[in-house]
Amino acid sequence: MEASATTAGGGRSGLERSPLSRLPDQVLQGVLSALAALILILIAYFFIRLIGKSSSAFSHFGLSFVFGNDWDPAHEIYTGLPLLVGTLVTSAIALIIGVPIAVATALFLTELCPRRARGPLAFLVDLLAAVPSVVYGLWGVFVLAPKLQGFEKWVANTFSIIPWIGGGADQITAAGNYFIAGLILAIMILPIVSAISREVLRTVPPEHKEAALALGATRWEMIRMSIIPYARPGITGGAMLGMGRAIGETIAVVLVIGDADNLGHHIFSQGYTLAAVIANEFGEGSNDPPHASALFAAGLVLFILTLIVNIIARRFVTRGQRGQRGAGGGGDAVVLATEEGSIQ
Amino acid sequence: MTKIITTIAVAVAATVGLAACGSSSSSSSTTSSSSAPASTSTSAAKTTGGTLNGAGSTFAAPIYQQWGSNLKSQGLTINYNPVGSGTGVADLQTATVDFAGSDPALLPADKKAMKGPVLQFPVAFGAITVSYNLPGVKTGLKLDGPTIGGIFSGQIKTWNDPAIKALNPGMNLPSTSITVVHRSDSSGTTNGFTTYLTKVDPAWKLGASKLIKWPGGTGASGNSGVAAAVKATAGAVGYVEQAYALVNGFTYAAVKNGSSYVLPTIANTSLAATGVAVPADLGISTIDSKTAGAYPIVSQTFIDTYEDPCKDGGASSGTAAALKSFLSYAFGAGQATLGSGGSKLPYAPLTAPLAAKDNAQLAKLTCNGSPIS
Amino acid sequence: MSIQALPEISARRRNTDRVMRALMWVATGIALVPLVLVIYYLIHKGIGTWNSNFFTTDPNGNFFGNHGGIRSAILGSLEIIGIASAIAIPVGICVALFLTEYGKDSLFANVVRYFVDVMTGVPSIVFGLFIYIVLVISHVGGSGFAAWKGALAVTLLMLPIVIRASEVVLLLVPNSLREAALALGAPRWRVITKVVLPTSASGLVTGSLLAVARGMGETAPLLFTVSVATTLTGNPNSLMNTLPVQIYNDIKSPEPSIVARAWGAALTLVTIVLILNLIARAISRRSRLA
């Protein structure tokens, strides 16, 4: 690929450009900034409407909306700790199971896979993203949950000394629980994390890899030393997208988590999530203002939860990025100078 | 970038082209009707004389969809969105639909939030079965109100509990533990079922509503979810609509009414409709019917619509006329599609007196004050 | 490939290497297992309904007998996704460009980033409800439920995914390429269109495809904004049938053959996303620079 060397309107060197030729740049910057601002306004408006609709629930329950352990629509009690815990638990399970497998798959496809098989296998993994969430939910209900009952009972009984993972074997039914929901979510976020990781891994400069190999590293050591650090920010970005999906997934979770209003005490208990409760109860809440407000408040809590987790993850990303940009090697200073100069 | 834009442009163009080709052969593309008289309400709903939009009860959805199919030859298109009774009523309150399907009768609070006076018309009835999965017990299980309440509130934990045994002498009940399956989504079926339990079980403390905080058991989404869960778990019991149970061959219990145990057949469901008290606004309830031989857990379903759809619902006069012909079909020829046997939908039809009351109320339907032809 | 002067690779290192590589093979296998199971299940349940009638007739609401096909659902879905993609993909890529090329670490850009991150976690149903409150109830545009409103809800769903994925990919374009172009005198906009975008094209396509796949399969944003329709219509200002809603409603039916139609529709949905995937990848492969 080449960078086109246009010497626009008059100057011999591109460093001196006429005001006219700056116009497209300014227009582009203006348009892009405007679009970004538009998105910001849209999201802010969304946020504000959400706050507006949920304010009555918060004014009624205050902080206990989040920390109270009783969700009881029939008695107009809307305190959502079971929902919050359910969201966190299922998303955590999804990330713990899904991200390592996704990254390992991406590594396999870019480094270890025989060249011929690369395309088809990558395509297959991406196919997971094509399946609609309702199908995942139904598959979970009809196939996964019944089939895994035996496995769950074995785990519950064998590890019964471990406080949360063991025990609760009597609650295992074919109707789903935290674990199944987390598993289904892991499957759903796999293609996202894997696809983005693959793109990231593909752009690792060959020099980095060759340097490690030339120094006598084994294949795995080369991956560990030169690929993973370079790709970490990008992979984290992909994982964050996956996490967003896990936190907000509605229909698949609704079908496989058992929808219990109570806080489950084991990984194999039925539970509930913030997103699932909105889906299930909105029919009722439509024409019952306190209930509707509580459901919007649940949406707002989801918002805030995603924000907090993303802030933490972003810190992780930008620290890596700054290092990476510096490693671009001296060219950064030139870029900055040019940019300051020509764009102000 | 250009390649991406090209791809998208091609895709959009292809889609629009296909849709245009396809829709040229259909008769129901809806356009904004300009014949709607000016009104204080919001602008005209998106319907011409040929299309009606409805939403609400999932229980009654097969009925309205079948009627839509039957009425298409008369030029009437019915779009019905089975989002649940609550949302259907809410949609009517915001006038985004022409009619709502609701299982429970409208509460005063519901009526107050409407844009104008509303008419509710009972349309059909369906039983709520107590379906179970108990290997070895295929038929003949008998239950009564307090026992059902005990099971679903978690007090009765095993199938060979003395309370169940007392009702089924001579039956070999295993000691399997009972797994209760209930609805987790907002549901008119839950409402009907729990209303029945509040009436017949003095120990029932969980209330009656579309959404209940169940003390235990498993939640499943929709009738199909409950059905699947019951089918997959030995020892499970759940409340499932009659259409489901009948079409899919479930095993269900006979429930005590008065002195006899009644099975949820269509005939026994119809009996619940006879002799029901009819208030002025036709907001009947067939739960816990005292008619002899009637199945005691029968739910009714209504069509709700504005008394003046043009003024309050923003409908055009063509839509109001379509609504009237739809409703008179509903209480007339449409009833013949319901019943037991062969190609009839598994719901119990209106009794003759009820149909007459519906037709009488239909005369109240006006468009901007003037009666509809 | 060891040089004389370098030490031999110890057994421990060699074994670690073998174990980790084996784990990667295993992980890929594990990733493919649910795929095979789900696809098999889908095909098993859905292929029986596929015939020419299935794709050329509309659902007709009959309870018994011939229920009709899913033509209106397929075309409705394509139209709505077409509109949503036409908005979300260009806008999303533009915003990502802004974030990587102009905004960088400024406060404004960071605020946009955080807000976009939050949007990725919003459940699809909340987008549907938002559009319901803002556009549907107030009958904007002269209609209650309308296809274009559903398309907007899907756009809201797709936008954060496109922005986030594109940003990740754009950040990976090496700065040296940008610098080289700038040093040769190319104005900023040329650097973007001739260097940055072509280099990241395949990644941008990936991100867009992820968003489209997500958008096509979501039911909740459509339930409250487009409602349901049985007959075929291309009019964006009316109710429209869509595949996810058709599946969602059919799957709840008591009649088993209608449930079977739901599975056939789900299989159709996956196939359509697949085909879109293949087309987009074929186009991007041709444009990818060595």
Side-chain angles (χ1 to χ4, degrees):
Chain A
M1 102 254 98
E2 67 239 348
S4 53
T6 39
T7 49
R12 281 204 65 211
S13 143
L15 287 176
E16 291 209 27
R17 306 219 304 267
S18 73
L20 192 58
S21 78
R22 287 198 195 189
L23 197 55
D25 272 345
Q26 287 166 331
V27 166
L28 184 66
Q29 183 175 6
V31 166
L32 294 182
S33 312
L35 275 174
L38 195 68
I39 298 297
L40 194 62
I41 294 174
L42 182 67
I43 299 177
Y45 177 61
F46 181 61
F47 205 30
I48 292 172
R49 283 309 284 258
L50 204 61
I51 295 181
K53 283 267 165 190
S54 53
S55 59
S56 83
F58 276 117
S59 64
H60 199 240
F61 292 104
L63 256 181
S64 72
F65 180 79
V66 180
F67 296 114
N69 191 1
D70 190 18
W71 185 268
D72 190 356
H75 294 114
E76 301 263 323
I77 300 178
Y78 302 112
T79 52
L81 188 67
L83 313 174
L84 184 61
V85 168
T87 305
L88 289 173
V89 164
T90 50
S91 307
I93 295 176
L95 286 172
I96 292 173
I97 299 180
V99 171
I101 295 187
V103 175
T105 307
L107 278 171
F108 173 81
L109 285 170
T110 47
E111 297 299 320
L112 301 180
C113 186
R115 212 159 266 274
R116 286 259 189 87
R118 207 165 281 187
L121 277 180
F123 179 71
L124 278 181
V125 176
D126 288 347
L127 201 52
L128 281 171
V131 179
S133 38
V134 64
V135 173
Y136 276 120
L138 291 170
W139 178 75
V141 167
F142 290 125
V143 175
L144 198 66
K147 289 240 163 76
L148 283 185
Q149 279 182 96
F151 170 71
E152 293 169 6
K153 287 211 169 81
W154 176 79
V155 170
N157 289 325
T158 322
F159 296 105
S160 50
I161 32 165
I162 305 180
W164 187 68
I165 299 197
D170 51 332
Q171 288 186 25
I172 295 175
T173 66
N177 48 50
Y178 289 124
F179 175 67
I180 301 270
L183 198 56
I184 295 275
L185 285 177
I187 299 175
M188 291 172 84
I189 72 173
L190 223 159
I192 303 174
V193 183
S194 178
I196 295 189
S197 301
R198 269 207 318 280
E199 290 298 328
V200 171
L201 291 172
R202 203 206 301 260
T203 65
V204 175
E207 308 89 62
H208 291 207
K209 299 194 272 190
E210 288 162 15
L213 286 174
L215 285 171
T218 62
R219 216 63 203 275
W220 164 246
E221 286 165 355
M222 179 264 289
I223 292 176
R224 187 168 51 96
M225 289 193 299
S226 49
I227 297 185
I228 292 187
Y230 185 90
R232 187 154 48 93
I235 294 181
T236 313
M240 284 162 65
L241 256 186
M243 173 182 65
R245 180 88 197 259
I247 289 183
E249 177 55 44
T250 321
I251 293 201
V253 173
V254 150
L255 293 171
V256 295
I257 198 168
D259 299 342
D261 285 331
N262 316 300
L263 196 56
H265 296 291
H266 309 277
I267 195 173
F268 301 122
S269 310
Q270 277 86 53
Y272 223 165
T273 66
L274 290 162
V277 78
I278 300 176
N280 265 339
E281 300 189 1
F282 191 73
E284 163 90 344
S286 300
N287 52 351
D288 178 22
H291 198 172
S293 176
L295 292 178
F296 280 110
L300 192 63
V301 172
L302 259 174
F303 230 67
I304 298 174
L305 179 68
T306 317
L307 184 65
I308 294 176
V309 183
N310 271 292
I311 290 178
I312 298 174
R314 275 258 179 208
R315 287 278 160 78
F316 203 53
V317 175
T318 45
R319 222 183 299 135
Q321 264 172 12
R322 276 200 210 105
Q324 193 183 321
R325 287 213 154 185
D332 255 18
V334 177
V335 176
L336 282 171
T338 324
E339 289 170 9
E340 309 301 350
S342 61
I343 300 180
Q344 100 276 328
Chain B
M1 181 71 152
T2 39
K3 297 281 189 239
I4 300 174
I5 298 180
T6 318
T7 323
I8 299 167
V10 167
V12 173
T15 318
V16 174
L18 275 172
C21 293
S23 63
S24 62
S25 58
S26 95
S27 59
S28 72
S29 33
T30 56
T31 50
S32 178
S33 162
S34 55
S35 61
S39 62
T40 51
S41 71
T42 50
S43 47
K46 290 309 298 166
T47 50
T48 60
T51 309
L52 288 176
N53 299 322
S57 157
T58 41
F59 161 71
I63 303 179
Y64 304 136
Q65 285 162 353
Q66 179 72 60
W67 285 350
S69 171
N70 297 342
L71 288 170
K72 212 168 277 192
S73 51
Q74 296 178 26
L76 194 55
T77 303
I78 313 275
N79 292 321
Y80 184 75
N81 194 6
V83 276
S85 307
T87 309
V89 171
D91 283 345
L92 190 63
Q93 285 166 344
T94 54
T96 43
V97 293
D98 300 311
F99 68 93
S102 173
D103 297 340
L106 288 172
L107 299 168
D110 295 331
K111 291 189 194 174
K112 220 155 51 107
M114 293 279 180
K115 292 188 194 274
V118 192
L119 300 171
Q120 55 185 351
F121 300 91
V123 163
F125 306 93
I128 302 173
T129 68
V130 181
S131 294
Y132 59 90
N133 175 0
L134 200 55
V137 183
K138 281 290 159 214
T139 57
L141 188 67
K142 298 191 180 78
L143 295 170
D144 69 358
T147 315
I148 299 178
I151 294 176
F152 277 88
S153 60
Q155 312 285 353
I156 299 181
K157 299 193 202 296
T158 56
W159 283 105
N160 60 355
D161 188 284
I164 305 182
K165 273 219 200 108
L167 302 171
N168 296 280
M171 192 174 283
N172 198 0
L173 294 166
S175 60
T176 328
S177 51
I178 302 182
T179 308
V180 169
V181 183
H182 53 82
R183 291 284 290 272
S184 55
D185 51 322
S186 167
S187 152
T189 316
T190 307
N191 192 22
F193 187 64
T194 47
T195 309
Y196 168 72
L197 288 175
T198 20
K199 289 193 178 182
V200 298
D201 183 13
W204 181 257
K205 297 272 171 286
L206 298 173
S209 135
K210 296 200 204 92
L211 267 175
I212 301 286
K213 189 179 166 85
W214 301 90
T218 308
S221 223
N223 271 293
S224 48
V226 174
V230 169
K231 253 205 192 142
T233 316
V237 63
Y239 53 93
V240 182
E241 276 163 20
Q242 182 178 38
Y244 261 97
L246 291 180
V247 174
N248 291 291
F250 284 179
T251 38
Y252 36 74
V255 181
K256 189 171 194 186
N257 190 5
S259 54
S260 58
Y261 290 90
V262 188
L263 280 171
T265 62
I266 301 277
N268 295 341
T269 310
S270 293
L271 280 177
T274 59
V276 66
V278 186
D281 67 348
L282 302 193
I284 60 176
S285 168
T286 44
I287 296 285
D288 195 28
S289 162
K290 297 292 178 219
T291 312
Y295 186 70
I297 326 179
V298 169
S299 174
Q300 67 293 319
T301 189
F302 299 93
I303 292 183
D304 301 332
T305 177
Y306 282 110
E307 196 171 314
D308 193 335
C310 303
K311 180 156 81 76
D312 301 317
S316 66
S317 54
T319 307
L323 192 57
K324 183 154 186 181
S325 51
F326 170 58
L327 288 172
S328 47
Y329 172 81
F331 318 131
Q335 290 292 314
T337 61
L338 310 174
S340 54
S343 54
K344 295 199 186 200
L345 299 173
Y347 298 86
L350 292 169
T351 56
L354 272 174
K357 286 213 165 72
D358 274 341
N359 275 309
Q361 190 177 246
L362 188 55
K364 282 199 200 166
L365 206 65
T366 56
C367 182
N368 281 317
S370 36
I372 309 173
S373 54
Chain C
M1 179 181 164
S2 54
I3 307 177
Q4 197 70 41
L6 294 175
E8 276 289 312
I9 298 177
S10 75
R12 187 185 61 84
R13 286 169 59 201
R14 212 196 301 265
N15 286 333
T16 317
D17 181 52
R18 284 208 194 103
V19 166
M20 295 314 285
R21 281 162 61 176
L23 277 180
M24 284 192 256
W25 277 85
V26 167
T28 311
I30 294 180
L32 291 175
V33 162
L35 175 74
V36 169
L37 290 177
V38 173
I39 298 290
Y40 170 74
Y41 190 68
L42 251 186
I43 296 180
H44 172 62
K45 291 222 131 193
I47 200 81
T49 59
W50 275 20
N51 53 43
S52 61
N53 250 352
F54 191 64
F55 298 107
T56 52
T57 55
D58 299 328
N60 53 27
N62 278 330
F63 194 69
F64 299 108
N66 174 28
H67 311 292
I70 55 169
R71 178 183 61 166
S72 57
I74 298 177
L75 295 177
S77 255
L78 287 176
E79 182 169 336
I80 290 184
I81 284 294
I83 300 175
S85 304
I87 304 175
I89 296 180
V91 171
I93 294 181
C94 283
V95 175
L97 272 175
F98 168 78
L99 288 174
T100 55
E101 305 294 321
Y102 294 103
K104 298 217 179 72
D105 242 347
S106 69
L107 178 63
F108 176 52
N110 274 327
V111 172
V112 174
R113 278 198 188 93
Y114 281 118
F115 271 73
V116 169
D117 278 344
V118 168
M119 287 288 270
T120 61
V122 175
S124 50
I125 191 172
V126 178
F127 290 125
L129 292 179
F130 173 65
I131 298 285
Y132 180 68
I133 301 170
V134 171
L135 293 179
V136 173
I137 294 187
S138 39
H139 290 262
V140 169
S143 58
F145 297 113
W148 64 272
K149 299 180 189 175
L152 277 186
V154 177
T155 308
L156 284 179
L157 183 67
M158 292 171 64
L159 254 178
I161 302 177
V162 178
I163 297 177
R164 199 73 188 78
S166 304
E167 196 199 349
V168 166
V169 167
L170 287 171
L171 279 173
L172 288 167
V173 174
N175 269 328
S176 48
L177 291 181
R178 291 192 183 89
E179 294 159 23
L182 286 169
L184 284 169
R188 210 63 202 284
W189 64 276
R190 281 243 175 196
V191 174
I192 292 178
T193 55
K194 291 278 187 178
V195 176
V196 176
L197 285 178
T199 316
S200 50
S202 94
L204 293 176
V205 167
T206 303
S208 308
L209 282 175
L210 281 174
V212 168
R214 180 86 195 269
M216 278 215 80
E218 285 287 344
T219 322
L222 300 169
L223 267 179
F224 298 104
T225 52
V226 188
S227 190
V228 101
T230 47
T231 48
L232 186 63
T233 167
N235 181 6
N237 206 18
S238 72
L239 278 61
M240 195 177 281
N241 201 5
T242 53
L243 277 172
V245 173
Q246 180 75 38
I247 297 172
Y248 184 72
N249 289 333
D250 277 352
I251 214 95
K252 298 191 287 192
S253 173
E255 171 58 46
S257 44
I258 297 184
V259 175
R261 180 172 69 183
W263 287 106
L267 189 58
T268 312
L269 183 57
V270 174
T271 313
I272 291 179
V273 176
L274 213 81
I275 294 177
L276 286 176
N277 231 301
L278 287 170
I279 295 177
R281 290 227 176 270
I283 294 182
S284 89
R285 200 165 295 141
R286 241 181 301 135
S287 79
R288 193 190 312 167
L289 310 164

